[in-house]
Amino acid sequence: MIFTPTPITGAFLVDLEPRVDSRGTFARAFCRKEFATAGIDMEVVQSNLARTSHAGVVRGLHYQRPPGQERKLVRCIAGAMFDALVDMRPESPTFHQAWWIRLDTVARQALFIPHGVAHGYQALEIDTEVLYMTDQYYMPGLEMGVRFDDPTLAIPWPLAARDVTPRDLQWPLLSTDG
């Protein structure tokens, strides 16, 4: 795997290093030792699969507060998605900064998201599927979020947003986040 730092401190793009032969390809998608070598100590305890039926659907921007903070490894396994991060760690040099990227089945990249970084995405195709692994069990009641359409962030969602949940619409704007 190849780990490339993103503009958000501690977040990485993770590229596969496929072996190619006449049958196709084989690549390691997660290896705890390779993550540790890259400075990421991640023990996966949960794996989640989300399928989004319609293009334009926005999910997020979510993160968990302590003690439920999650590191995530996110990969698009069908379709395509526009993925966005917002650093919510006050001690971070990239606090309140946003960054985004397209993840799809062509580039086959994954995104490692550290604790305290809000994550959200928009499905760009029908039946987009996202697989994400976490290093923490989900703890209800510790959810936090930021509005996906916060003007301070100016995230350029490629499609008109649709089917945003009432919960995601009630998250605060950064200017009111305290």
Side-chain angles (χ1 to χ4, degrees):
M1 288 175 277
I2 301 168
F3 296 83
T4 305
T6 73
I8 300 294
T9 300
F12 292 87
L13 275 177
V14 182
D15 284 282
L16 301 174
E17 292 185 290
R19 295 182 193 157
V20 180
D21 64 23
S22 62
R23 300 169 294 171
T25 63
F26 172 86
R28 185 174 292 127
F30 178 80
C31 175
R32 190 167 177 195
K33 286 181 183 178
E34 288 187 46
F35 269 66
T37 299
I40 303 167
D41 183 20
M42 181 170 176
E43 179 181 351
V44 174
V45 299
Q46 188 169 306
S47 184
N48 305 297
L49 183 63
R51 180 175 170 269
T52 304
S53 301
H54 305 286
V57 172
V58 173
R59 295 178 184 247
L61 301 155
H62 306 137
Y63 64 107
Q64 296 277 111
R65 68 178 179 266
Q69 292 178 306
E70 300 172 325
R71 290 183 183 108
K72 295 179 184 176
L73 182 64
V74 176
R75 181 180 303 278
C76 182
I77 61 170
M81 63 194 272
F82 177 85
D83 204 298
L85 303 180
V86 179
D87 192 340
M88 298 303 294
R89 303 166 295 178
E91 74 286 354
S92 172
T94 54
F95 179 56
H96 280 181
Q97 290 182 26
W99 179 79
W100 47 84
I101 189 167
R102 177 188 169 105
L103 297 177
D104 58 38
T105 57
V106 176
R108 302 176 69 205
Q109 293 176 306
L111 184 59
F112 171 77
I113 305 162
H115 293 153
V117 173
H119 171 251
Y121 64 90
Q122 181 177 55
L124 300 178
E125 299 178 7
I126 60 170
D127 297 330
T128 292
E129 286 193 70
V130 179
L131 177 68
Y132 63 98
M133 299 183 290
T134 66
D135 71 339
Q136 178 66 263
Y137 298 106
Y138 175 71
M139 294 183 181
L142 297 179
E143 303 93 346
M144 298 294 292
V146 177
R147 282 280 298 269
F148 78 95
D149 58 351
D150 188 317
T152 304
L153 298 172
I155 297 171
W157 301 99
L159 304 174
R162 65 174 286 178
D163 301 334
V164 180
T165 66
R167 181 182 76 159
D168 287 348
L169 289 172
Q170 64 84 29
W171 294 125
L173 300 173
L174 288 182
S175 60
T176 60
D177 185 34

Coordinates of all heavy atoms in Angstrom, one line a residue, residues 52-59 121-126 128 148 157-164:
T52 N -26.1 3.5 -1.3 CA -26.9 4.6 -1.5 C -27.6 4.5 -2.9 O -26.9 4.3 -3.9 CB -26.1 5.9 -1.5 OG1 -25.4 6.0 -0.2 CG2 -26.9 7.1 -1.6
S53 N -28.9 4.5 -2.9 CA -29.7 4.2 -4.1 C -29.7 5.2 -5.2 O -29.8 5.0 -6.3 CB -31.1 3.8 -3.7 OG -31.1 2.8 -2.8
H54 N -29.5 6.5 -4.8 CA -29.7 7.6 -5.7 C -28.5 8.5 -5.8 O -27.9 8.8 -4.7 CB -30.9 8.5 -5.3 CG -32.2 7.7 -5.1 ND1 -32.9 7.2 -6.2 CD2 -32.8 7.3 -4.0 CE1 -33.9 6.6 -5.8 NE2 -33.9 6.6 -4.4
A55 N -28.1 9.0 -6.9 CA -27.1 10.0 -7.1 C -27.5 11.3 -6.4 O -28.7 11.6 -6.5 CB -26.7 10.2 -8.6
G56 N -26.6 12.0 -5.8 CA -26.9 13.2 -5.2 C -27.2 13.1 -3.7 O -27.1 14.2 -3.0
V57 N -27.4 11.9 -3.1 CA -27.6 11.8 -1.7 C -26.4 12.2 -0.9 O -25.3 11.7 -1.3 CB -28.0 10.3 -1.4 CG1 -28.1 10.1 0.2 CG2 -29.4 10.0 -2.0
V58 N -26.5 13.0 0.1 CA -25.4 13.4 1.0 C -25.6 12.7 2.3 O -26.7 12.8 2.9 CB -25.4 14.9 1.1 CG1 -24.3 15.3 2.2 CG2 -25.1 15.6 -0.2
R59 N -24.5 12.1 2.8 CA -24.5 11.5 4.1 C -23.4 12.2 4.9 O -22.2 12.3 4.5 CB -24.2 10.0 4.1 CG -25.3 9.2 3.4 CD -24.8 7.7 3.3 NE -25.8 6.9 2.6 CZ -26.5 5.9 3.2 NH1 -26.4 5.7 4.5 NH2 -27.3 5.2 2.5
Y121 N -20.1 12.2 2.6 CA -19.9 12.0 1.2 C -21.2 12.1 0.4 O -22.3 12.1 1.0 CB -19.3 10.6 0.9 CG -20.1 9.4 1.3 CD1 -21.0 8.8 0.4 CD2 -20.0 8.9 2.6 CE1 -21.8 7.7 0.8 CE2 -20.8 7.8 3.0 CZ -21.7 7.2 2.1 OH -22.4 6.1 2.4
Q122 N -21.1 12.3 -0.9 CA -22.2 12.4 -1.8 C -22.1 11.3 -2.8 O -21.0 11.1 -3.4 CB -22.3 13.7 -2.5 CG -23.5 13.9 -3.4 CD -23.6 15.2 -4.0 OE1 -22.6 15.7 -4.7 NE2 -24.7 15.9 -3.9
A123 N -23.1 10.5 -3.0 CA -23.1 9.5 -4.0 C -23.2 10.2 -5.4 O -24.1 11.0 -5.6 CB -24.3 8.5 -3.8
L124 N -22.3 9.8 -6.3 CA -22.3 10.4 -7.6 C -23.0 9.5 -8.6 O -23.2 10.0 -9.8 CB -20.8 10.7 -8.0 CG -20.1 11.6 -7.1 CD1 -18.6 11.8 -7.6 CD2 -20.8 13.0 -7.0
E125 N -23.3 8.3 -8.3 CA -23.9 7.3 -9.2 C -25.0 6.6 -8.4 O -24.9 6.5 -7.2 CB -22.9 6.3 -9.8 CG -21.8 7.0 -10.6 CD -20.8 6.0 -11.1 OE1 -21.0 4.7 -11.0 OE2 -19.8 6.4 -11.7
I126 N -26.0 6.0 -9.1 CA -27.0 5.2 -8.4 C -26.3 4.0 -7.9 O -25.3 3.5 -8.4 CB -28.1 4.8 -9.3 CG1 -27.7 4.0 -10.5 CG2 -28.9 6.1 -9.8 CD1 -28.8 3.4 -11.3
T128 N -24.4 3.4 -5.3 CA -23.0 3.5 -4.8 C -22.9 2.8 -3.5 O -23.7 3.0 -2.6 CB -22.6 5.0 -4.7 OG1 -22.6 5.6 -6.0 CG2 -21.3 5.2 -4.0
F148 N -23.4 19.9 6.2 CA -22.7 19.6 4.9 C -22.6 20.9 4.0 O -21.7 21.0 3.2 CB -23.4 18.5 4.1 CG -24.7 18.9 3.5 CD1 -24.7 19.3 2.1 CD2 -25.9 19.0 4.2 CE1 -25.8 19.7 1.5 CE2 -27.0 19.4 3.6 CZ -27.0 19.7 2.2
W157 N -20.0 20.4 -3.5 CA -20.7 19.2 -3.7 C -21.0 19.2 -5.2 O -21.6 20.1 -5.7 CB -21.9 19.0 -2.9 CG -21.6 19.1 -1.4 CD1 -21.7 20.1 -0.6 CD2 -21.1 18.0 -0.6 NE1 -21.3 19.8 0.7 CE2 -20.9 18.5 0.7 CE3 -20.8 16.7 -0.9 CZ2 -20.4 17.7 1.7 CZ3 -20.3 15.9 0.2 CH2 -20.1 16.4 1.4
P158 N -20.7 18.1 -6.0 CA -20.8 18.1 -7.4 C -22.3 18.1 -7.9 O -22.6 18.6 -9.0 CB -20.1 16.8 -7.9 CG -19.3 16.4 -6.8 CD -19.9 17.0 -5.5
L159 N -23.2 17.5 -7.1 CA -24.6 17.4 -7.5 C -25.5 18.1 -6.6 O -25.1 18.4 -5.4 CB -25.0 15.9 -7.6 CG -24.2 15.0 -8.5 CD1 -24.6 13.5 -8.3 CD2 -24.2 15.4 -9.9
A160 N -26.7 18.5 -7.0 CA -27.7 19.0 -6.1 C -27.9 18.0 -4.9 O -28.1 16.8 -5.2 CB -29.0 19.3 -6.8
A161 N -27.8 18.5 -3.7 CA -28.0 17.6 -2.6 C -29.5 17.1 -2.5 O -30.4 17.9 -2.7 CB -27.6 18.3 -1.3
R162 N -29.6 15.8 -2.2 CA -31.0 15.3 -2.0 C -31.0 14.2 -0.9 O -29.9 13.7 -0.5 CB -31.5 14.6 -3.3 CG -30.7 13.4 -3.7 CD -31.3 12.6 -4.9 NE -32.5 11.9 -4.5 CZ -33.2 11.2 -5.3 NH1 -33.0 11.1 -6.6 NH2 -34.3 10.5 -4.8
D163 N -32.1 14.0 -0.3 CA -32.3 13.0 0.7 C -31.4 13.1 1.9 O -30.9 12.2 2.5 CB -32.2 11.6 0.1 CG -33.2 11.3 -1.0 OD1 -34.2 11.9 -1.0 OD2 -32.9 10.5 -1.9
V164 N -31.2 14.4 2.3 CA -30.3 14.6 3.5 C -31.3 14.4 4.7 O -32.4 14.9 4.8 CB -29.8 16.1 3.5 CG1 -29.0 16.3 4.7 CG2 -29.0 16.4 2.2

